[in-house]
Amino acid sequence: MRRIAPFLFLAALMSGVASPATADGSEALAITEAAATLPPNRFVWTPAADGVGRVSVLISIPDQRAYVFRGQQLVAASSVSTGSDDRPTPTGTFTILQKKAQHRSNLYDDAPMPFMQRLTWDGVALHAGRNPGFPASHGCIRLPTAFARKLFDATQLGATVEVTDEAYVAGALLPGGETLGANDYASR
Protein backbone atom coordinates (compact mmCIF):
# COMPACT_ATOMS: atom_id res chain seq x y z
CA MET A 1 0.00 0.00 0.00
CA ARG A 2 1.31 3.42 -0.86
CA ARG A 3 1.60 5.77 2.07
CA ILE A 4 0.63 9.42 1.92
CA ALA A 5 1.41 10.72 5.43
CA PRO A 6 4.72 12.32 4.34
CA PHE A 7 2.81 14.08 1.56
CA LEU A 8 0.24 15.41 3.98
CA PHE A 9 3.03 16.81 6.18
CA LEU A 10 4.60 18.48 3.18
CA ALA A 11 1.24 19.84 2.07
CA ALA A 12 0.90 21.65 5.37
CA LEU A 13 4.53 22.72 5.36
CA MET A 14 4.52 24.08 1.84
CA SER A 15 1.18 25.89 1.96
CA GLY A 16 2.96 29.14 2.83
CA VAL A 17 5.56 29.02 0.06
CA ALA A 18 5.58 32.23 -1.98
CA SER A 19 7.10 31.02 -5.24
CA PRO A 20 6.05 27.96 -7.24
CA ALA A 21 8.43 25.12 -8.04
CA THR A 22 10.13 25.28 -11.40
CA ALA A 23 10.80 21.59 -11.98
CA ASP A 24 8.21 19.13 -13.13
CA GLY A 25 7.23 15.97 -11.29
CA SER A 26 9.44 13.82 -13.52
CA GLU A 27 12.60 15.35 -12.01
CA ALA A 28 11.36 14.57 -8.50
CA LEU A 29 10.48 11.04 -9.58
CA ALA A 30 13.96 10.60 -11.04
CA ILE A 31 15.53 11.72 -7.74
CA THR A 32 13.24 9.37 -5.80
CA GLU A 33 14.12 6.45 -8.07
CA ALA A 34 17.84 7.20 -7.78
CA ALA A 35 17.48 7.42 -3.99
CA ALA A 36 15.89 3.98 -3.85
CA THR A 37 19.06 2.35 -5.17
CA LEU A 38 21.66 4.41 -3.31
CA PRO A 39 24.24 2.32 -1.50
CA PRO A 40 25.38 3.46 1.96
CA ASN A 41 27.27 6.78 2.05
CA ARG A 42 25.90 7.94 -1.30
CA PHE A 43 23.58 10.79 -2.22
CA VAL A 44 22.01 12.75 -5.08
CA TRP A 45 22.33 16.56 -5.00
CA THR A 46 20.88 18.55 -7.90
CA PRO A 47 21.85 22.11 -8.86
CA ALA A 48 18.41 23.25 -7.65
CA ALA A 49 19.44 22.26 -4.13
CA ASP A 50 21.85 25.22 -4.12
CA GLY A 51 19.12 27.66 -5.22
CA VAL A 52 16.94 29.99 -3.19
CA GLY A 53 13.89 29.18 -1.12
CA ARG A 54 13.04 27.52 2.13
CA VAL A 55 14.67 24.11 2.75
CA SER A 56 12.89 21.27 4.53
CA VAL A 57 13.98 17.69 5.12
CA LEU A 58 12.00 14.46 5.27
CA ILE A 59 13.70 11.49 6.97
CA SER A 60 12.11 8.11 6.23
CA ILE A 61 13.19 5.54 8.80
CA PRO A 62 12.06 2.47 6.78
CA ASP A 63 13.73 3.86 3.63
CA GLN A 64 16.87 4.90 5.58
CA ARG A 65 16.80 8.00 3.36
CA ALA A 66 16.75 11.76 3.67
CA TYR A 67 14.75 13.72 1.10
CA VAL A 68 15.54 17.44 0.79
CA PHE A 69 13.04 19.94 -0.57
CA ARG A 70 13.67 23.54 -1.57
CA GLY A 71 10.25 25.13 -1.52
CA GLN A 72 8.01 22.56 -3.19
CA GLN A 73 10.75 20.91 -5.20
CA LEU A 74 12.52 17.67 -4.27
CA VAL A 75 16.17 18.59 -4.86
CA ALA A 76 18.32 15.99 -3.08
CA ALA A 77 18.26 12.59 -1.43
CA SER A 78 20.72 10.59 0.63
CA SER A 79 21.20 7.33 2.43
CA VAL A 80 21.10 7.73 6.23
CA SER A 81 21.57 5.68 9.36
CA THR A 82 18.94 6.31 12.03
CA GLY A 83 18.70 4.98 15.58
CA SER A 84 19.09 1.31 16.38
CA ASP A 85 16.21 -0.72 17.85
CA ASP A 86 17.41 -0.12 21.42
CA ARG A 87 17.96 3.63 20.79
CA PRO A 88 15.40 4.61 18.15
CA THR A 89 15.23 7.95 16.39
CA PRO A 90 12.08 9.75 17.51
CA THR A 91 9.46 10.47 14.87
CA GLY A 92 7.68 13.78 14.47
CA THR A 93 8.17 17.28 13.20
CA PHE A 94 11.26 19.09 14.44
CA THR A 95 13.01 22.37 13.74
CA ILE A 96 16.73 22.91 13.53
CA LEU A 97 17.56 24.39 16.94
CA GLN A 98 21.33 24.72 16.65
CA LYS A 99 24.02 24.31 14.00
CA LYS A 100 27.67 23.66 14.67
CA ALA A 101 30.18 22.66 11.99
CA GLN A 102 32.51 20.92 14.46
CA HIS A 103 30.60 19.47 17.40
CA ARG A 104 31.45 16.70 19.85
CA SER A 105 28.94 14.59 21.74
CA ASN A 106 28.56 15.30 25.42
CA LEU A 107 26.64 12.02 25.80
CA TYR A 108 28.77 9.47 23.92
CA ASP A 109 32.49 9.65 24.72
CA ASP A 110 33.15 13.00 23.06
CA ALA A 111 32.34 11.41 19.67
CA PRO A 112 32.75 13.75 16.69
CA MET A 113 29.50 15.00 15.12
CA PRO A 114 30.61 17.09 12.12
CA PHE A 115 28.05 19.42 10.54
CA MET A 116 25.69 18.90 13.47
CA GLN A 117 22.14 20.25 13.20
CA ARG A 118 20.35 19.77 16.53
CA LEU A 119 16.71 18.63 16.45
CA THR A 120 16.13 18.13 20.20
CA TRP A 121 17.81 19.42 23.33
CA ASP A 122 18.21 15.86 24.63
CA GLY A 123 20.68 14.74 21.99
CA VAL A 124 19.04 14.03 18.61
CA ALA A 125 20.68 15.67 15.60
CA LEU A 126 21.50 15.36 11.92
CA HIS A 127 25.27 14.97 11.47
CA ALA A 128 28.00 13.31 9.42
CA GLY A 129 28.88 9.85 10.61
CA ARG A 130 29.18 6.15 9.92
CA ASN A 131 26.50 5.15 7.46
CA PRO A 132 26.31 1.34 7.13
CA GLY A 133 22.94 1.32 5.34
CA PHE A 134 20.84 0.29 8.32
CA PRO A 135 19.76 1.81 11.68
CA ALA A 136 22.91 1.88 13.83
CA SER A 137 23.07 5.20 15.69
CA HIS A 138 22.24 6.18 19.27
CA GLY A 139 19.17 8.02 17.95
CA CYS A 140 20.77 10.64 15.71
CA ILE A 141 20.46 10.69 11.95
CA ARG A 142 23.86 10.01 10.42
CA LEU A 143 24.56 11.38 6.96
CA PRO A 144 27.40 10.89 4.44
CA THR A 145 30.01 13.57 5.18
CA ALA A 146 29.81 15.39 1.83
CA PHE A 147 26.00 15.42 2.01
CA ALA A 148 26.06 16.61 5.63
CA ARG A 149 28.29 19.53 4.60
CA LYS A 150 25.98 20.52 1.72
CA LEU A 151 22.87 20.21 3.87
CA PHE A 152 24.51 22.23 6.66
CA ASP A 153 25.21 25.03 4.15
CA ALA A 154 21.68 24.88 2.68
CA THR A 155 19.62 24.98 5.89
CA GLN A 156 18.87 27.73 8.36
CA LEU A 157 17.96 27.67 12.02
CA GLY A 158 14.25 26.95 12.28
CA ALA A 159 14.13 24.79 9.13
CA THR A 160 11.64 21.92 9.37
CA VAL A 161 12.75 18.30 9.60
CA GLU A 162 10.07 15.62 9.53
CA VAL A 163 11.08 12.16 10.74
CA THR A 164 8.58 9.48 9.79
CA ASP A 165 8.20 5.75 10.18
CA GLU A 166 6.57 5.57 6.76
CA ALA A 167 8.09 5.10 3.33
CA TYR A 168 8.26 8.06 0.95
CA VAL A 169 6.61 7.42 -2.39
CA ALA A 170 6.61 10.09 -5.09
CA GLY A 171 3.46 9.87 -7.17
CA ALA A 172 1.44 8.15 -4.42
CA LEU A 173 -2.23 7.57 -5.12
CA LEU A 174 -4.70 9.58 -3.10
CA PRO A 175 -8.25 8.50 -2.32
CA GLY A 176 -10.30 8.75 -5.50
CA GLY A 177 -7.38 7.68 -7.71
CA GLU A 178 -5.78 11.13 -7.93
CA THR A 179 -1.98 11.11 -8.18
CA LEU A 180 0.08 13.31 -5.90
CA GLY A 181 3.26 14.55 -7.55
CA ALA A 182 6.31 15.97 -5.84
CA ASN A 183 5.28 19.51 -6.74
CA ASP A 184 1.67 19.25 -5.58
CA TYR A 185 2.26 19.94 -1.88
CA ALA A 186 1.22 23.60 -1.92
CA SER A 187 -2.15 22.82 -3.46
CA ARG A 188 -3.16 20.40 -0.67
Side-chain angles (χ1 to χ4, degrees):
M1 179 172 126
R2 292 182 175 211
R3 314 250 177 157
I4 62 169
F7 294 107
L8 298 177
F9 152 72
L10 289 169
L13 176 68
M14 299 303 167
S15 62
V17 174
S19 60
T22 57
D24 63 21
S26 63
E27 182 178 339
L29 186 57
I31 295 169
T32 305
E33 289 173 351
T37 60
L38 286 172
N41 282 316
R42 298 289 186 238
F43 63 93
V44 176
W45 191 272
T46 67
D50 296 320
V52 297
R54 185 170 60 191
V55 172
S56 59
V57 182
L58 174 66
I59 305 295
S60 170
I61 293 173
D63 291 350
Q64 289 296 284
R65 297 289 183 265
Y67 301 93
V68 180
F69 296 82
R70 187 168 287 280
Q72 300 174 34
Q73 184 179 353
L74 177 63
V75 294
S78 177
S79 61
V80 302
S81 181
T82 58
S84 61
D85 287 342
D86 58 334
R87 293 187 175 117
T89 300
T91 59
T93 303
F94 304 91
T95 58
I96 296 174
L97 303 170
Q98 179 185 38
K99 292 175 62 164
K100 195 170 177 186
Q102 295 302 319
H103 181 73
R104 299 192 80 80
S105 174
N106 54 4
L107 298 175
Y108 299 106
D109 301 320
D110 206 34
M113 298 170 66
F115 307 106
M116 184 276 297
Q117 298 186 71
R118 184 179 302 280
L119 302 180
T120 71
W121 291 114
D122 60 352
V124 179
L126 300 164
H127 65 83
R130 190 172 137 278
N131 191 315
F134 54 86
S137 79
H138 290 113
C140 284
I141 299 153
R142 296 182 192 160
L143 308 167
T145 301
F147 181 83
R149 178 182 296 118
K150 287 178 172 289
L151 186 62
F152 186 89
D153 290 343
T155 59
Q156 296 180 4
L157 291 177
T160 302
V161 177
E162 173 78 7
V163 180
T164 182
D165 57 4
E166 297 191 31
Y168 171 78
V169 182
L173 292 176
L174 295 174
E178 186 179 355
T179 301
L180 179 63
N183 295 319
D184 291 336
Y185 305 122
S187 64
R188 302 281 167 215

